Every structure is written in structure tokens, then in C-alpha cells.
Amino acid sequence: MSKSNVVEWSGREEIADPLTDLLRQGARDLIQQAVEAELAEFLARFEGRRLDDGRAAVVRNGYQPERPIQTGIGPVTVKIPKVRAKDGRPVAFQSALVPPYVRKTRSLEAALPWLYLKGVSTGEMETALAALIGPEAKGLSASTVARLKQQWGEEYQAWRKTRLDRDRWVYLWVDGIYSGLRAEDTKLCALVVIGVNERGEKHFLAIEDGVRESTQSWREVLLGLKARGMNTPKLAVGDGAMGFWAALDEVYPDTRQQRCWMHKTGNVLNCAPRSVQPKMKSALHDIWQADTKEHAEAAFDQFEKLFEAKYPKAVQCLQKDREELMAFYDFPAQHWQSLRTTNPIESTFGTIRHRTKRSKGCLTRDGMLHMIFKLGECAQKNWRRQRGFSYLAKVITGVRFKDGIEVNADNQVAA
């Protein structure tokens, strides 16, 4: 048996996380795309078969009744296209991916990550399909796989050019997604931006190739968003270690900055011995969970008094972003839960970060971007509207908030 470059997903039989939900949502669309690619190749074989008037003799003719395929994550319904020969000569389309007798997949949980991760690589598609359907199914031809690969690439490129000026974007969440996969000697990274518009709808705005999350890479991402018509957001949330902030100062200097408390907590704890980390984590919790900025500042001062003498690096790590860690207090309290962390990105891509491991082969950068785009596309369909979305219009129009409460014209907190 030849060596496979398919990326393995450790512990997949125990997975119960966002990726499982993404697979369940995306399975139907993914299988349907593959079947349509099969049909396109099938019809191409009869391109030269014409009627006397020049019209195609073999054409598509609707669909067979929908069929459920049982999988380990529930039934997936598929529609198999039909064809018709206008010249009376017999012809029938049969999918190699979903033959008539197939009713149950072997392990869709295992197969779809392969399809996402390596399915855009022609050489590995057959291995992934064998896991999806079982050994009875024939593999797709190389030309069908190439057609499917091209379709995914075209979808991603079209999405990157979508205009953004039809909405007003209020908040951004940004992060660099390291998949654990490598291209040559470089760890693959995608720069991801999620935005929420004035209606409270969250959307992926950018998924771009990045180089170590550098300022130049982020500058290119932000300039791309600006060219597509994105307005100046009110607040951006992200990790303090990125080159994003310098780029933001250049491209959108009026956007406020909020550091992610999840990232910051991890960075601070990494500067202290394991024995003191529970106590230090509790003290950090007292800061970002405080009900007012004044109480948060007091908890911050208390953290410094408790730990500065023995653990100066931990305190310095926290101090350098003090102002940016407190920005959320100037926005509606209903939004605080979303604004304190980059959770929208973390919850979507946590599995990619932690469950992929380096394969002997290399995933192309395009392949990685297509994979993340596909996973993000599935996740986005099931996102809930921003909590407290009715306050977004007030944020856009410049209404002031103090400790999460609206301030009236007399600079008094509204009752």
C-alpha cells in the first residue's frame, strides 16, 4: 500500500465539538457538489453526440427522489441527477460516489475532514471517498476531482470580492488560525476576520493567507476590506501578540481596540509556575468580570500588589495592554460577553487548531484556505444573532455608554 498524505484526526471517535456540527451541516452540500461534478464529466463525454438541428442529444432531466444515507452523525439526504437521450439511444447516469445500492456510509466523521483537508488535492480524493462510502464504491475519476477542486476555488475567489458597503459593520473579531499543517517548512496560517453588522448578523469578512501574522499581512487584509467598501468599525477584538494592531492604526485609526481576555489570561499564566496559576487565574477573573470599570481597575491594582514582587513577568504581560483590556466597558453591557474574547473564531476553528497534526505530505496554502472557507461557510449558517442587537444602531450613531449603560444628553447614566 502506498503511503497516504491524508491528515489524521486524533481522537475523532470521541469528538463532540463544533466540527461535528459543521460536518453535519456541510455533508449534504459537499456530497451534492461532488455528484454534480460527476454529472458534468458524464455529460462532457457526449458533447459530440448531437441531434440533426445541432442541439445536445444527452441532457440532464431533473433528479431522482431524494435518498437518505445513514451516517454516524445522522442521515444525509442526497439527490441524484437524471439524464435523458433525445435521440432514443439508451444512456443512464450512475454516480460512483453514491451508487443505487448504497444506504449507509462507513464513517462520515472520518471522511469529511479528509475531504476538506485533502479533497482539494486530486491524489487523495479516492482515499477519502473510500472512507466515506466504503470499499464497494468506485473512486471518482481525476477529471471529476479536478472539476470539483476548481469549483471550490472559484467559490472562494468570488466570496473574497463580495462588496461590504451594503452593511454597516460595528465590531470585528480577528485572529490567526494555525492549523498544525505545514507547507514546506512554514507553518500554515490563515488570517481570519469576522464582523457583525447593524442587524446583529455575524459574517466572515476575510480568510487570507498570512505570514506569521505580520503587520504587512494584516495591512493587506484590512486594505482589501476597505477596497470592498467596509466602513470604520467601532471596535476590534483580538490577541495582543498580532501585527494586526499596527495595521489597524494605519488603515482604520478611529477603531477602538479590545484585547482578548482568553488569550491574555493564557499568556499571563504562562509566566507563572503551575502551583500559583489557579490563584492568579481567579484574580484575573475578578478584573474582567467586574460590573464597572472602576471595580475592574481596583481588581487590576490588587493583582499587581499580589503578584508583582514574585512574578514580575506575569504582571508586566498584563500591564502592557491595560487600557485595551478595559475598552468593552464603553459599550453596551449586553455585548460584553462577545467583546471580551475572540470566541466566535475560537469556537469555529478550535478543532482545526488542536486536532490536526503534521502529515508527511504538505497541504497547499490554497487547499488550507479552501478548507477553512468551507468550514466557515457551514458554521456561519447556524450562528445566532448578536445578543442585544437592538443596541448596535446606538453604537453606530455614537451614543455613549458608561459601564455598559447608556449615557443621556446631560452626561448622566440613563435610568
Side-chain angles (χ1 to χ4, degrees):
M1 180 181 295
S2 60
K3 293 183 179 179
S4 171
N5 290 335
V6 173
V7 175
E8 296 180 4
W9 291 60
S10 56
R12 60 175 175 258
E13 64 281 349
E14 302 172 356
I15 294 177
D17 55 30
L19 183 59
T20 303
D21 295 332
L22 299 184
L23 297 182
R24 185 179 294 113
Q25 296 170 31
R28 176 174 178 170
D29 290 343
L30 189 60
I31 295 173
Q32 198 66 49
Q33 279 189 353
V35 171
E36 293 291 342
E38 282 188 292
L39 177 65
E41 184 198 2
F42 179 82
L43 293 176
R45 299 180 203 161
F46 300 94
E47 182 63 30
R49 187 165 151 181
R50 297 278 168 172
L51 301 176
D52 293 340
D53 59 6
R55 291 181 299 163
V58 180
V59 296
R60 63 183 304 153
N61 186 34
Y63 293 91
Q64 298 176 19
E66 288 190 333
R67 295 170 44 201
I69 297 179
Q70 295 299 323
T71 76
I73 53 176
V76 174
T77 303
V78 297
K79 294 192 300 182
I80 306 301
K82 296 190 297 183
V83 298
R84 181 167 65 92
K86 294 182 177 181
D87 58 5
R89 296 160 58 186
V91 64
F93 169 70
Q94 180 173 306
S95 170
L97 178 60
V98 188
Y101 51 82
V102 171
R103 289 291 183 274
K104 186 175 182 178
T105 66
R106 292 303 178 93
S107 179
L108 189 59
E109 299 97 322
L112 284 183
W114 290 4
L115 286 172
Y116 277 123
L117 288 167
K118 295 298 289 184
V120 292
S121 171
T122 302
E124 299 294 344
M125 180 66 90
E126 187 170 357
T127 304
L129 293 175
L132 175 64
I133 298 299
E136 300 90 349
K138 300 177 182 178
L140 295 181
S141 68
S143 59
T144 298
V145 173
R147 189 185 299 271
L148 189 58
K149 174 183 175 181
Q150 180 181 358
Q151 180 180 344
W152 289 342
E154 290 172 353
E155 289 175 2
Y156 169 70
Q157 293 300 332
W159 171 80
R160 292 178 67 226
K161 299 175 183 177
T162 304
R163 294 295 301 175
L164 300 175
D165 48 5
R166 289 172 288 186
D167 297 288
R168 290 182 295 177
W169 301 97
V170 190
Y171 304 136
L172 301 181
W173 293 268
V174 302
D175 208 350
I177 304 300
Y178 287 96
S179 68
L181 304 172
R182 292 178 179 268
E184 298 175 349
D185 294 326
T186 305
K187 200 171 187 180
L188 292 173
C189 177
L191 307 183
V192 176
V193 180
I194 293 176
V196 64
N197 61 24
E198 72 272 23
R199 296 180 300 281
E201 300 165 346
K202 295 176 183 176
H203 294 276
F204 281 97
L205 303 183
I207 300 173
E208 298 288 343
D209 187 16
V211 180
R212 299 195 181 104
E213 303 184 70
S214 67
T215 297
Q216 176 59 28
S217 295
W218 277 113
R219 183 187 296 114
E220 293 171 4
V221 171
L222 290 175
L223 288 173
L225 293 175
K226 196 168 190 177
R228 290 163 58 195
M230 189 178 80
N231 60 287
T232 299
K234 295 298 183 180
L235 184 72
V237 185
D239 179 13
M242 300 184 300
F244 170 79
W245 304 110
L248 184 70
D249 283 337
E250 294 179 29
V251 182
Y252 288 106
D254 294 330
T255 299
R256 294 279 303 276
Q257 301 181 10
Q258 169 66 48
R259 297 297 185 268
C260 171
W261 270 99
M262 182 178 65
H263 283 94
K264 178 58 69 175
T265 297
N267 293 338
V268 171
L269 296 182
N270 284 339
C271 298
R274 189 179 298 273
S275 59
V276 78
Q277 286 182 7
K279 184 178 180 181
M280 189 173 284
K281 185 175 182 180
S282 178
L284 290 170
H285 186 274
D286 290 341
I287 302 174
W288 61 269
Q289 283 286 350
D291 60 342
T292 68
K293 189 174 183 179
E294 181 181 358
H295 292 161
E297 296 283 7
F300 201 111
D301 294 340
Q302 180 66 12
F303 184 93
E304 293 175 328
K305 293 176 183 178
L306 286 172
F307 301 110
E308 189 165 25
K310 293 184 178 180
Y311 312 106
K313 289 185 178 180
V315 174
Q316 290 169 8
C317 179
L318 184 66
Q319 287 173 331
K320 68 179 182 178
D321 291 320
R322 180 166 184 158
E323 180 180 348
E324 291 80 6
L325 286 165
M326 303 291 191
F328 70 91
Y329 282 105
D330 296 331
F331 293 86
Q334 290 82 357
H335 301 167
W336 287 4
Q337 183 178 355
S338 299
L339 299 182
R340 288 183 294 217
T341 73
T342 55
N343 188 60
I345 295 178
E346 294 295 325
S347 61
T348 301
F349 296 116
T351 299
I352 298 175
R353 277 188 163 133
H354 300 299
R355 283 196 165 85
T356 56
K357 59 185 180 181
R358 182 176 180 176
S359 70
K360 295 180 180 179
C362 295
L363 180 68
T364 66
R365 291 188 178 275
D366 284 345
M368 179 196 66
L369 292 174
H370 296 167
M371 172 199 70
I372 293 179
F373 167 65
K374 280 293 183 183
L375 289 172
E377 190 178 49
C378 293
Q380 184 174 284
K381 295 177 182 177
N382 208 37
W383 281 342
R384 295 179 179 179
R385 189 182 292 193
Q386 171 69 47
R387 179 174 177 266
F389 65 88
S390 61
Y391 287 89
L392 291 169
K394 294 185 177 183
V395 175
I396 292 172
T397 56
V399 173
R400 291 183 57 235
F401 290 81
K402 181 179 180 181
D403 296 328
I405 306 299
E406 183 179 344
V407 177
N408 64 25
D410 297 326
N411 204 32
Q412 300 295 319
V413 175

